[in-house]
Amino acid sequence: MTNLMSMEFVENARNVLFIGSSGVGKTHLATGLGVEAWQIARNNLNEFSDAD
């Protein structure tokens, strides 16, 4: 989990695949990672635009 939260897979353009039975939280994990990636990207854009 710690490796996923580092978002290193985004920087390296790697895929993440969750495998498991129905109801174990695969979609929940994927949604959380997507939200985190979006927040990081938004913060990076804000820092970039503030530099101007």
Side-chain angles (χ1 to χ4, degrees), residues 30-47:
T31 301
L33 283 175
V35 168
E36 182 69 16
W38 176 80
Q39 289 175 341
I40 289 169
R42 184 183 64 180
N43 289 340
N44 289 340
L45 286 175
N46 286 341
E47 289 174 14

Side-chain angles (χ1 to χ4, degrees), residues 21-37:
S21 302
S22 179
V24 296
K26 298 178 300 290
T27 301
H28 183 77
L29 289 172
T31 301
L33 283 175
V35 168
E36 182 69 16

Side-chain angles (χ1 to χ4, degrees), residues 4-5 8 10-12 15 33 36-37 39 42 45 49 51:
L4 289 175
M5 290 307 295
E8 199 171 299
V10 175
E11 294 173 14
N12 296 329
N15 294 323
L33 283 175
E36 182 69 16
Q39 289 175 341
R42 184 183 64 180
L45 286 175
S49 64

